[in-house]
Amino acid sequence: MYEETRHIVFFVNWMAYTEARRGWVARTILPLTSLRYYLRAVGRMAGLARRGKELNDGKNFAATQVSMFLDGFNFRRFLEDCYSENSRRMSAFEPELLRPSFLPQLAEVALKALRLWSSQAKLDADSAAYRYQGKGP
């Protein structure tokens, strides 16, 4: 896993170096290029999810048959584990090196929203239980 993390950090820095050498025009269109690749990746994941709903064709076993191994799977816990593991693995590199930032920032926002949502749900449940006991309005 360290080797994969090292490759990610290398390519992020190599791409930044390449874009810096190309000048301001390349830096201006970089967000559009990145968006194109993100949309392509999302499209592939959506296709994989659609295929996973159908009869398994034997492709991508790990992604389409994972449900049999994940009793009690919780998206929030999965996201928290991924976020903390990313932080732990990326901390092994020199602070001067660039690191991927978009998906970790997206995960952080999603976690904050999930925590807010679950705390709100807990408050609503506590309030309903309080009213049910005849103590509230």
Coordinates of all heavy atoms in Angstrom, one line a residue, residues 21-116:
R21 N 5.2 24.2 -16.0 CA 6.1 24.5 -17.1 C 5.4 24.9 -18.4 O 5.9 25.6 -19.2 CB 7.0 23.3 -17.4 CG 8.0 23.0 -16.3 CD 9.0 21.9 -16.7 NE 9.8 22.4 -17.8 CZ 10.3 21.7 -18.7 NH1 10.0 20.4 -18.8 NH2 11.1 22.2 -19.7
R22 N 4.1 24.5 -18.5 CA 3.3 24.9 -19.7 C 2.8 26.3 -19.7 O 2.4 26.8 -20.7 CB 2.1 23.9 -19.8 CG 2.5 22.5 -20.2 CD 1.3 21.7 -20.4 NE 1.7 20.3 -20.8 CZ 0.9 19.3 -20.7 NH1 -0.4 19.5 -20.3 NH2 1.3 18.1 -21.1
G23 N 2.8 26.9 -18.5 CA 2.4 28.3 -18.5 C 0.9 28.5 -18.0 O 0.2 27.6 -17.6
W24 N 0.5 29.8 -18.1 CA -0.8 30.1 -17.5 C -2.0 29.6 -18.2 O -3.0 29.3 -17.7 CB -0.9 31.7 -17.4 CG -1.0 32.4 -18.7 CD1 0.0 32.8 -19.4 CD2 -2.2 32.7 -19.4 NE1 -0.4 33.4 -20.6 CE2 -1.8 33.4 -20.6 CE3 -3.5 32.5 -19.1 CZ2 -2.7 33.8 -21.5 CZ3 -4.4 33.0 -20.1 CH2 -4.0 33.6 -21.2
V25 N -1.8 29.4 -19.5 CA -3.0 28.8 -20.3 C -3.3 27.4 -19.8 O -4.5 27.1 -19.6 CB -2.7 28.8 -21.8 CG1 -3.7 28.1 -22.6 CG2 -2.5 30.3 -22.3
A26 N -2.3 26.6 -19.7 CA -2.5 25.2 -19.2 C -3.1 25.2 -17.8 O -4.0 24.4 -17.5 CB -1.2 24.5 -19.2
R27 N -2.6 26.1 -16.9 CA -3.2 26.2 -15.6 C -4.6 26.7 -15.6 O -5.4 26.3 -14.7 CB -2.3 27.1 -14.7 CG -1.0 26.5 -14.3 CD -0.4 27.4 -13.2 NE 0.0 28.7 -13.6 CZ 1.1 29.1 -14.2 NH1 2.0 28.2 -14.4 NH2 1.3 30.3 -14.5
T28 N -5.0 27.5 -16.6 CA -6.4 27.9 -16.7 C -7.3 26.8 -17.1 O -8.4 26.7 -16.6 CB -6.4 29.1 -17.7 OG1 -5.5 30.1 -17.4 CG2 -7.8 29.7 -17.8
I29 N -6.9 26.0 -18.0 CA -7.8 24.9 -18.5 C -7.7 23.6 -17.7 O -8.5 22.7 -17.9 CB -7.6 24.6 -20.0 CG1 -6.2 24.0 -20.2 CG2 -7.9 25.8 -20.8 CD1 -6.0 23.5 -21.6
L30 N -6.7 23.6 -16.7 CA -6.6 22.4 -15.9 C -7.8 21.9 -15.2 O -8.2 20.8 -15.1 CB -5.4 22.5 -14.9 CG -5.1 21.4 -14.0 CD1 -4.7 20.1 -14.8 CD2 -4.1 21.7 -13.0
P31 N -8.6 22.9 -14.6 CA -9.8 22.4 -13.9 C -10.8 21.8 -14.8 O -11.5 20.8 -14.4 CB -10.4 23.7 -13.3 CG -9.2 24.6 -13.2 CD -8.3 24.3 -14.3
L32 N -10.9 22.2 -16.1 CA -11.8 21.6 -17.0 C -11.3 20.2 -17.4 O -12.1 19.3 -17.5 CB -11.9 22.5 -18.3 CG -12.6 23.8 -18.1 CD1 -12.5 24.6 -19.4 CD2 -14.0 23.7 -17.6
T33 N -10.0 20.0 -17.5 CA -9.4 18.7 -17.8 C -9.7 17.8 -16.7 O -10.1 16.6 -16.9 CB -7.9 18.8 -18.1 OG1 -7.7 19.8 -19.1 CG2 -7.3 17.5 -18.5
S34 N -9.5 18.3 -15.5 CA -9.7 17.4 -14.3 C -11.2 17.0 -14.2 O -11.5 15.9 -13.9 CB -9.3 18.2 -13.0 OG -8.0 18.4 -13.0
L35 N -12.1 18.0 -14.4 CA -13.5 17.7 -14.4 C -13.9 16.6 -15.4 O -14.7 15.7 -15.1 CB -14.3 19.0 -14.7 CG -15.8 18.8 -14.7 CD1 -16.4 18.4 -13.4 CD2 -16.5 20.1 -15.2
R36 N -13.3 16.7 -16.6 CA -13.6 15.7 -17.6 C -13.2 14.3 -17.1 O -14.0 13.3 -17.3 CB -12.8 16.0 -18.9 CG -12.9 15.0 -19.9 CD -12.1 15.4 -21.2 NE -11.8 14.2 -22.0 CZ -10.7 13.9 -22.5 NH1 -9.6 14.7 -22.3 NH2 -10.5 12.8 -23.2
Y37 N -12.0 14.1 -16.5 CA -11.6 12.8 -16.0 C -12.4 12.4 -14.8 O -12.7 11.2 -14.7 CB -10.1 12.8 -15.7 CG -9.3 12.8 -16.9 CD1 -8.6 13.9 -17.4 CD2 -9.3 11.7 -17.7 CE1 -7.9 13.9 -18.5 CE2 -8.5 11.7 -18.9 CZ -7.8 12.8 -19.3 OH -7.1 12.8 -20.5
Y38 N -12.8 13.3 -13.9 CA -13.7 12.9 -12.8 C -15.0 12.4 -13.3 O -15.6 11.4 -12.8 CB -13.9 14.1 -11.8 CG -12.8 14.2 -10.8 CD1 -11.9 15.3 -10.8 CD2 -12.6 13.2 -9.9 CE1 -10.9 15.4 -9.9 CE2 -11.6 13.3 -8.9 CZ -10.8 14.4 -8.9 OH -9.8 14.5 -8.0
L39 N -15.6 13.1 -14.3 CA -16.9 12.7 -14.9 C -16.8 11.3 -15.5 O -17.7 10.5 -15.4 CB -17.4 13.7 -15.8 CG -17.9 15.0 -15.2 CD1 -18.2 16.0 -16.3 CD2 -19.0 14.8 -14.3
R40 N -15.7 11.1 -16.2 CA -15.5 9.8 -16.8 C -15.4 8.7 -15.8 O -16.0 7.6 -15.9 CB -14.2 9.8 -17.7 CG -14.0 8.6 -18.6 CD -12.9 8.8 -19.6 NE -11.7 8.4 -18.9 CZ -10.5 8.4 -19.5 NH1 -10.4 8.8 -20.8 NH2 -9.4 7.9 -18.9
A41 N -14.7 8.9 -14.7 CA -14.6 8.0 -13.6 C -15.9 7.7 -13.0 O -16.3 6.5 -12.7 CB -13.6 8.4 -12.6
V42 N -16.7 8.7 -12.7 CA -18.1 8.6 -12.2 C -18.9 7.8 -13.1 O -19.7 6.9 -12.7 CB -18.7 10.0 -11.9 CG1 -20.2 9.8 -11.6 CG2 -18.0 10.6 -10.7
G43 N -18.8 8.0 -14.4 CA -19.6 7.2 -15.4 C -19.2 5.8 -15.4 O -20.1 4.9 -15.4
R44 N -17.9 5.5 -15.2 CA -17.5 4.1 -15.1 C -18.1 3.4 -13.8 O -18.5 2.3 -13.8 CB -16.0 4.0 -15.1 CG -15.4 4.2 -16.5 CD -13.9 4.1 -16.5 NE -13.4 4.3 -17.8 CZ -12.1 4.4 -18.0 NH1 -11.2 4.3 -17.1 NH2 -11.7 4.6 -19.3
M45 N -18.0 4.1 -12.7 CA -18.6 3.6 -11.5 C -20.1 3.4 -11.6 O -20.6 2.4 -11.1 CB -18.3 4.5 -10.3 CG -16.8 4.5 -9.9 SD -16.5 3.0 -9.0 CE -15.1 2.4 -9.8
A46 N -20.8 4.3 -12.2 CA -22.2 4.1 -12.4 C -22.5 2.9 -13.2 O -23.4 2.1 -13.0 CB -22.8 5.4 -13.0
G47 N -21.7 2.7 -14.3 CA -21.9 1.5 -15.1 C -21.6 0.2 -14.3 O -22.3 -0.8 -14.5
L48 N -20.6 0.3 -13.5 CA -20.3 -0.9 -12.6 C -21.4 -1.2 -11.7 O -21.8 -2.3 -11.4 CB -19.0 -0.6 -11.9 CG -18.5 -1.7 -10.9 CD1 -18.2 -3.0 -11.7 CD2 -17.3 -1.2 -10.2
A49 N -22.0 -0.1 -11.1 CA -23.1 -0.3 -10.2 C -24.4 -0.9 -10.9 O -25.0 -1.7 -10.4 CB -23.5 1.0 -9.5
R50 N -24.6 -0.4 -12.1 CA -25.8 -0.9 -12.9 C -25.5 -2.4 -13.2 O -26.5 -3.2 -13.1 CB -25.9 -0.1 -14.2 CG -26.7 1.2 -14.0 CD -27.1 1.7 -15.4 NE -26.0 2.0 -16.2 CZ -25.2 3.1 -16.2 NH1 -25.5 4.1 -15.4 NH2 -24.2 3.2 -17.1
R51 N -24.3 -2.7 -13.6 CA -24.0 -4.1 -13.9 C -24.1 -5.0 -12.7 O -24.5 -6.1 -12.7 CB -22.7 -4.2 -14.6 CG -22.5 -5.6 -15.2 CD -21.2 -5.7 -16.0 NE -20.0 -5.5 -15.3 CZ -19.1 -4.6 -15.5 NH1 -19.2 -3.8 -16.5 NH2 -18.0 -4.5 -14.8
G52 N -23.8 -4.4 -11.5 CA -23.8 -5.2 -10.3 C -25.3 -5.6 -9.9 O -25.5 -6.5 -9.2
K53 N -26.2 -4.8 -10.3 CA -27.6 -5.0 -10.0 C -28.1 -6.2 -10.9 O -29.1 -6.9 -10.5 CB -28.5 -3.8 -10.3 CG -28.3 -2.7 -9.3 CD -29.2 -1.6 -9.5 CE -29.0 -0.5 -8.5 NZ -29.9 0.7 -8.8
E54 N -27.6 -6.4 -12.1 CA -28.0 -7.4 -12.9 C -27.3 -8.7 -12.5 O -26.5 -8.7 -11.6 CB -27.6 -7.1 -14.4 CG -28.2 -5.8 -14.9 CD -27.6 -5.4 -16.2 OE1 -26.7 -6.0 -16.7 OE2 -28.0 -4.3 -16.7
L55 N -27.6 -9.8 -13.2 CA -27.0 -11.1 -12.9 C -25.5 -10.9 -13.1 O -25.0 -10.3 -14.1 CB -27.5 -12.1 -13.9 CG -26.9 -13.5 -13.7 CD1 -27.3 -14.1 -12.3 CD2 -27.5 -14.5 -14.8
N56 N -24.7 -11.3 -12.2 CA -23.2 -11.1 -12.3 C -22.7 -11.8 -13.5 O -22.9 -13.0 -13.7 CB -22.6 -11.7 -11.0 CG -21.1 -11.4 -11.0 OD1 -20.6 -10.6 -11.7 ND2 -20.4 -12.1 -10.1
D57 N -22.0 -11.1 -14.3 CA -21.4 -11.6 -15.5 C -19.9 -12.1 -15.3 O -19.2 -12.4 -16.2 CB -21.4 -10.6 -16.6 CG -20.7 -9.3 -16.3 OD1 -20.1 -9.2 -15.2 OD2 -20.7 -8.4 -17.1
G58 N -19.5 -12.1 -14.0 CA -18.2 -12.6 -13.7 C -17.1 -11.5 -13.7 O -16.0 -11.8 -13.4
K59 N -17.5 -10.3 -14.1 CA -16.5 -9.2 -14.1 C -16.6 -8.5 -12.8 O -17.6 -8.4 -12.2 CB -16.8 -8.3 -15.2 CG -16.7 -8.9 -16.6 CD -17.0 -7.9 -17.7 CE -16.9 -8.5 -19.0 NZ -17.4 -7.6 -20.1
N60 N -15.5 -8.0 -12.4 CA -15.4 -7.2 -11.2 C -16.0 -7.8 -10.0 O -16.9 -7.2 -9.3 CB -16.0 -5.8 -11.4 CG -15.2 -5.0 -12.4 OD1 -14.0 -4.9 -12.3 ND2 -15.9 -4.5 -13.4
F61 N -15.6 -9.1 -9.7 CA -16.2 -9.8 -8.6 C -16.2 -9.0 -7.3 O -17.1 -8.9 -6.5 CB -15.5 -11.1 -8.4 CG -15.9 -11.9 -7.1 CD1 -17.1 -12.6 -7.1 CD2 -15.2 -11.8 -6.0 CE1 -17.5 -13.2 -6.0 CE2 -15.6 -12.5 -4.9 CZ -16.7 -13.2 -4.8
A62 N -15.0 -8.4 -7.0 CA -14.8 -7.7 -5.7 C -15.8 -6.6 -5.6 O -16.3 -6.3 -4.5 CB -13.4 -7.1 -5.6
A63 N -16.2 -5.9 -6.6 CA -17.1 -4.8 -6.5 C -18.5 -5.2 -6.6 O -19.4 -4.6 -6.0 CB -16.8 -3.8 -7.7
T64 N -18.9 -6.3 -7.3 CA -20.3 -6.6 -7.5 C -20.7 -7.6 -6.4 O -21.9 -7.7 -6.2 CB -20.5 -7.2 -8.9 OG1 -19.7 -8.3 -9.1 CG2 -20.3 -6.2 -9.9
Q65 N -19.8 -8.4 -5.8 CA -20.2 -9.4 -4.9 C -19.8 -9.1 -3.4 O -19.8 -10.0 -2.6 CB -19.6 -10.8 -5.3 CG -20.1 -11.2 -6.7 CD -21.6 -11.3 -6.7 OE1 -22.2 -12.0 -5.8 NE2 -22.2 -10.8 -7.7
V66 N -19.3 -7.9 -3.2 CA -18.8 -7.5 -1.9 C -19.8 -7.6 -0.8 O -19.5 -7.8 0.4 CB -18.1 -6.1 -2.0 CG1 -19.2 -5.1 -2.1 CG2 -17.2 -5.9 -0.8
S67 N -21.1 -7.5 -1.1 CA -22.2 -7.5 -0.1 C -22.2 -8.7 0.8 O -22.6 -8.6 1.9 CB -23.5 -7.2 -0.7 OG -23.8 -8.3 -1.6
M68 N -21.8 -9.8 0.2 CA -21.8 -11.0 1.0 C -20.7 -11.0 2.2 O -20.8 -11.8 3.1 CB -21.6 -12.3 0.2 CG -20.2 -12.4 -0.4 SD -20.0 -14.0 -1.4 CE -21.2 -13.8 -2.6
F69 N -19.8 -10.1 2.1 CA -18.7 -10.0 3.1 C -18.9 -8.8 4.0 O -18.1 -8.7 5.0 CB -17.3 -9.9 2.4 CG -17.0 -11.0 1.5 CD1 -17.0 -10.9 0.1 CD2 -16.7 -12.3 2.0 CE1 -16.8 -11.9 -0.7 CE2 -16.4 -13.3 1.2 CZ -16.5 -13.2 -0.2
L70 N -19.9 -8.0 3.8 CA -20.0 -6.7 4.6 C -21.2 -6.7 5.4 O -22.0 -5.7 5.3 CB -19.9 -5.5 3.6 CG -18.6 -5.3 2.9 CD1 -18.8 -4.1 2.0 CD2 -17.5 -5.1 3.9
D71 N -21.4 -7.6 6.3 CA -22.5 -7.6 7.2 C -22.3 -6.4 8.1 O -21.2 -6.1 8.6 CB -22.6 -8.8 8.1 CG -23.1 -10.0 7.2 OD1 -23.8 -9.8 6.2 OD2 -22.8 -11.2 7.6
G72 N -23.3 -5.5 8.3 CA -23.3 -4.4 9.1 C -22.5 -3.2 8.5 O -22.0 -2.4 9.2
F73 N -22.3 -3.2 7.2 CA -21.6 -2.1 6.5 C -22.3 -0.8 6.8 O -23.5 -0.7 6.7 CB -21.6 -2.4 5.0 CG -20.9 -1.3 4.2 CD1 -19.6 -1.1 4.2 CD2 -21.7 -0.4 3.5 CE1 -19.0 -0.1 3.5 CE2 -21.2 0.6 2.8 CZ -19.8 0.8 2.8
N74 N -21.5 0.2 7.1 CA -22.0 1.5 7.4 C -21.2 2.5 6.5 O -20.0 2.6 6.7 CB -21.9 1.7 8.9 CG -22.3 3.1 9.3 OD1 -22.0 4.1 8.6 ND2 -22.9 3.1 10.5
F75 N -21.9 3.3 5.7 CA -21.2 4.2 4.8 C -20.4 5.2 5.6 O -19.2 5.6 5.3 CB -22.2 4.9 3.9 CG -21.5 5.9 3.0 CD1 -20.7 5.5 1.9 CD2 -21.6 7.3 3.2 CE1 -20.0 6.3 1.1 CE2 -21.0 8.2 2.3 CZ -20.2 7.7 1.3
R76 N -20.9 5.7 6.7 CA -20.2 6.7 7.5 C -18.9 6.1 8.1 O -17.9 6.8 8.0 CB -21.1 7.2 8.6 CG -20.4 8.3 9.5 CD -21.3 8.8 10.6 NE -20.6 9.5 11.6 CZ -21.1 10.0 12.7 NH1 -22.4 9.9 12.9 NH2 -20.3 10.6 13.5
R77 N -19.0 4.9 8.6 CA -17.8 4.3 9.2 C -16.8 4.1 8.1 O -15.6 4.3 8.2 CB -18.1 3.0 9.9 CG -17.0 2.5 10.7 CD -17.3 1.2 11.4 NE -17.2 0.1 10.5 CZ -17.9 -1.0 10.5 NH1 -18.9 -1.2 11.3 NH2 -17.6 -1.9 9.6
F78 N -17.2 3.6 6.9 CA -16.3 3.4 5.7 C -15.6 4.7 5.4 O -14.4 4.8 5.2 CB -17.2 2.9 4.6 CG -16.4 2.9 3.3 CD1 -15.4 1.9 3.1 CD2 -16.7 3.8 2.3 CE1 -14.7 1.8 1.9 CE2 -16.0 3.7 1.1 CZ -15.0 2.8 0.9
L79 N -16.4 5.8 5.3 CA -15.8 7.1 4.9 C -14.8 7.6 6.0 O -13.8 8.1 5.7 CB -17.0 8.1 4.7 CG -16.7 9.4 3.9 CD1 -16.1 9.1 2.6 CD2 -17.9 10.2 3.8
E80 N -15.2 7.4 7.3 CA -14.3 7.8 8.3 C -13.0 7.0 8.3 O -11.9 7.6 8.4 CB -14.9 7.6 9.7 CG -16.0 8.6 10.0 CD -16.8 8.3 11.3 OE1 -16.8 7.1 11.7 OE2 -17.4 9.2 11.8
D81 N -13.1 5.7 8.0 CA -11.9 4.9 7.9 C -11.0 5.3 6.7 O -9.8 5.4 6.8 CB -12.3 3.4 7.7 CG -12.8 2.8 9.0 OD1 -12.6 3.4 10.1 OD2 -13.4 1.7 9.0
C82 N -11.6 5.5 5.6 CA -10.9 6.0 4.4 C -10.2 7.3 4.6 O -9.0 7.5 4.3 CB -11.8 6.1 3.2 SG -12.4 4.5 2.5
Y83 N -10.9 8.2 5.3 CA -10.4 9.6 5.5 C -9.2 9.5 6.5 O -8.1 10.1 6.2 CB -11.4 10.5 6.1 CG -11.0 11.9 6.3 CD1 -10.8 12.7 5.2 CD2 -10.8 12.4 7.6 CE1 -10.4 14.1 5.4 CE2 -10.4 13.7 7.7 CZ -10.2 14.5 6.7 OH -9.8 15.8 6.8
S84 N -9.3 8.7 7.5 CA -8.2 8.6 8.5 C -7.0 7.8 7.9 O -5.9 8.2 8.1 CB -8.7 8.0 9.8 OG -9.0 6.6 9.6
E85 N -7.3 6.8 7.1 CA -6.2 6.0 6.5 C -5.5 6.9 5.5 O -4.3 6.8 5.4 CB -6.8 4.8 5.8 CG -5.8 3.8 5.4 CD -5.0 3.2 6.5 OE1 -5.4 3.3 7.6 OE2 -3.9 2.6 6.2
N86 N -6.2 7.7 4.7 CA -5.6 8.6 3.8 C -4.6 9.6 4.5 O -3.5 9.8 4.1 CB -6.6 9.4 3.0 CG -6.0 10.4 2.0 OD1 -5.3 10.0 1.1 ND2 -6.1 11.7 2.3
S87 N -5.1 10.2 5.6 CA -4.3 11.1 6.4 C -3.0 10.4 6.9 O -1.9 10.9 6.9 CB -5.1 11.7 7.6 OG -6.2 12.4 7.1
R88 N -3.2 9.2 7.4 CA -2.1 8.4 8.0 C -1.0 8.1 6.9 O 0.1 8.3 7.1 CB -2.6 7.1 8.6 CG -1.5 6.3 9.3 CD -2.0 5.1 10.0 NE -2.4 4.1 9.0 CZ -1.5 3.2 8.5 NH1 -0.2 3.3 8.9 NH2 -1.9 2.3 7.7
R89 N -1.5 7.7 5.8 CA -0.6 7.3 4.8 C 0.1 8.5 4.1 O 1.3 8.4 3.8 CB -1.3 6.4 3.7 CG -1.7 5.1 4.3 CD -1.9 4.0 3.3 NE -2.3 2.8 3.8 CZ -1.5 1.8 4.2 NH1 -0.2 2.0 4.1 NH2 -1.9 0.7 4.8
M90 N -0.6 9.5 3.9 CA 0.0 10.7 3.3 C 0.9 11.5 4.2 O 1.8 12.2 3.8 CB -1.1 11.7 2.8 CG -1.9 11.2 1.6 SD -0.8 11.0 0.2 CE -1.9 10.1 -0.9
S91 N 0.8 11.3 5.5 CA 1.7 11.9 6.5 C 3.1 11.4 6.4 O 4.0 12.0 7.0 CB 1.1 11.8 7.9 OG 1.2 10.5 8.4
A92 N 3.3 10.3 5.7 CA 4.7 9.7 5.7 C 5.6 10.4 4.7 O 6.8 10.2 4.7 CB 4.6 8.2 5.2
F93 N 5.0 11.4 3.9 CA 5.8 12.1 2.9 C 6.2 13.5 3.4 O 5.5 14.0 4.3 CB 5.0 12.1 1.6 CG 4.7 10.8 1.0 CD1 3.5 10.2 1.2 CD2 5.7 10.1 0.4 CE1 3.2 8.9 0.8 CE2 5.5 8.8 -0.1 CZ 4.2 8.2 0.1
E94 N 7.2 14.0 2.7 CA 7.7 15.3 3.1 C 6.5 16.4 2.9 O 5.8 16.3 2.0 CB 8.8 15.7 2.1 CG 10.1 14.9 2.3 CD 10.7 15.0 3.6 OE1 10.8 16.1 4.1 OE2 11.2 14.0 4.1
P95 N 6.5 17.3 3.9 CA 5.4 18.3 3.8 C 5.4 19.2 2.6 O 4.4 19.8 2.2 CB 5.6 19.1 5.1 CG 6.7 18.6 5.8 CD 7.3 17.5 5.0
E96 N 6.6 19.3 1.9 CA 6.7 20.2 0.8 C 6.1 19.6 -0.5 O 5.8 20.3 -1.4 CB 8.2 20.5 0.4 CG 8.9 21.3 1.5 CD 9.4 20.4 2.6 OE1 9.5 19.2 2.5 OE2 9.7 21.0 3.7
L97 N 5.8 18.3 -0.5 CA 5.2 17.6 -1.6 C 3.7 17.8 -1.6 O 3.1 17.9 -0.6 CB 5.5 16.1 -1.6 CG 7.0 15.7 -1.8 CD1 7.1 14.2 -1.5 CD2 7.5 16.1 -3.1
L98 N 3.2 18.0 -2.8 CA 1.8 18.1 -3.0 C 1.1 16.8 -2.8 O 1.7 15.7 -3.0 CB 1.5 18.6 -4.4 CG 2.0 20.0 -4.8 CD1 1.7 20.3 -6.2 CD2 1.4 21.1 -3.9
R99 N -0.1 16.8 -2.3 CA -0.9 15.6 -2.1 C -2.3 15.8 -2.8 O -2.7 16.9 -2.9 CB -1.1 15.4 -0.6 CG 0.2 15.0 0.1 CD 0.0 15.2 1.6 NE 1.1 14.8 2.3 CZ 2.3 15.4 2.4 NH1 2.4 16.6 1.8 NH2 3.3 15.0 3.1
P100 N -3.0 14.7 -3.1 CA -4.3 14.9 -3.6 C -5.2 15.6 -2.6 O -5.1 15.3 -1.4 CB -4.8 13.4 -3.8 CG -3.6 12.6 -3.8 CD -2.6 13.3 -3.0
S101 N -6.0 16.5 -3.0 CA -6.8 17.3 -2.0 C -8.3 17.3 -2.3 O -9.1 17.4 -1.4 CB -6.3 18.7 -2.0 OG -6.5 19.3 -3.3
F102 N -8.7 17.1 -3.6 CA -10.1 17.2 -3.9 C -11.0 16.1 -3.1 O -11.9 16.5 -2.4 CB -10.4 17.1 -5.4 CG -11.8 17.1 -5.7 CD1 -12.6 18.2 -5.6 CD2 -12.4 15.9 -6.2 CE1 -13.9 18.2 -5.9 CE2 -13.8 15.9 -6.5 CZ -14.5 17.1 -6.4
L103 N -10.6 14.9 -3.3 CA -11.4 13.8 -2.6 C -11.3 13.8 -1.1 O -12.3 13.7 -0.4 CB -11.1 12.4 -3.2 CG -11.6 12.2 -4.6 CD1 -11.2 10.8 -5.1 CD2 -13.1 12.4 -4.7
P104 N -10.1 14.1 -0.5 CA -10.1 14.2 0.9 C -11.0 15.4 1.4 O -11.7 15.3 2.5 CB -8.6 14.4 1.3 CG -7.9 13.8 0.2 CD -8.8 14.0 -1.1
Q105 N -11.0 16.5 0.7 CA -11.8 17.6 1.1 C -13.3 17.3 1.0 O -14.1 17.6 1.8 CB -11.5 18.9 0.3 CG -10.2 19.5 0.7 CD -9.8 20.6 -0.3 OE1 -10.5 20.9 -1.3 NE2 -8.7 21.3 0.0
L106 N -13.6 16.6 -0.1 CA -15.0 16.1 -0.3 C -15.4 15.2 0.8 O -16.5 15.3 1.3 CB -15.1 15.5 -1.7 CG -16.5 15.1 -2.2 CD1 -17.4 16.3 -2.3 CD2 -16.4 14.3 -3.5
A107 N -14.6 14.3 1.2 CA -14.9 13.3 2.3 C -15.0 14.1 3.6 O -15.9 13.7 4.4 CB -13.7 12.3 2.4
E108 N -14.2 15.1 3.8 CA -14.4 15.8 5.1 C -15.7 16.6 5.1 O -16.4 16.5 6.2 CB -13.2 16.9 5.2 CG -13.2 17.6 6.4 CD -12.0 18.5 6.5 OE1 -11.2 18.7 5.5 OE2 -11.8 19.1 7.6
V109 N -16.1 17.2 4.0 CA -17.4 17.8 4.0 C -18.6 16.8 4.2 O -19.5 17.1 5.0 CB -17.6 18.6 2.7 CG1 -19.0 19.1 2.5 CG2 -16.6 19.8 2.6
A110 N -18.4 15.7 3.5 CA -19.5 14.6 3.7 C -19.5 14.1 5.1 O -20.6 13.9 5.6 CB -19.2 13.5 2.7
L111 N -18.4 13.9 5.7 CA -18.4 13.5 7.1 C -19.0 14.5 8.1 O -19.8 14.1 9.0 CB -17.0 13.2 7.6 CG -16.4 11.8 7.1 CD1 -14.9 11.7 7.4 CD2 -17.2 10.7 7.7
K112 N -18.7 15.8 7.9 CA -19.3 16.8 8.7 C -20.9 16.8 8.5 O -21.6 16.9 9.5 CB -18.8 18.2 8.3 CG -17.4 18.4 8.9 CD -16.8 19.8 8.5 CE -15.4 19.9 9.0 NZ -14.8 21.2 8.6
A113 N -21.3 16.7 7.3 CA -22.7 16.6 7.0 C -23.4 15.4 7.6 O -24.5 15.5 8.2 CB -23.0 16.6 5.5
L114 N -22.7 14.2 7.6 CA -23.3 13.0 8.2 C -23.3 13.1 9.7 O -24.3 12.7 10.3 CB -22.4 11.8 7.8 CG -22.6 11.3 6.3 CD1 -21.5 10.3 6.0 CD2 -24.0 10.8 6.1
R115 N -22.3 13.7 10.3 CA -22.3 13.9 11.7 C -23.4 14.9 12.2 O -24.1 14.6 13.2 CB -20.9 14.4 12.2 CG -19.8 13.4 12.1 CD -18.5 13.9 12.6 NE -17.5 12.9 12.3 CZ -16.3 13.2 11.7 NH1 -16.0 14.4 11.3 NH2 -15.5 12.2 11.5
L116 N -23.6 16.0 11.4 CA -24.6 16.9 11.7 C -26.0 16.2 11.6 O -26.9 16.4 12.4 CB -24.5 18.1 10.8 CG -25.6 19.2 11.0 CD1 -25.4 19.8 12.3 CD2 -25.4 20.2 9.9

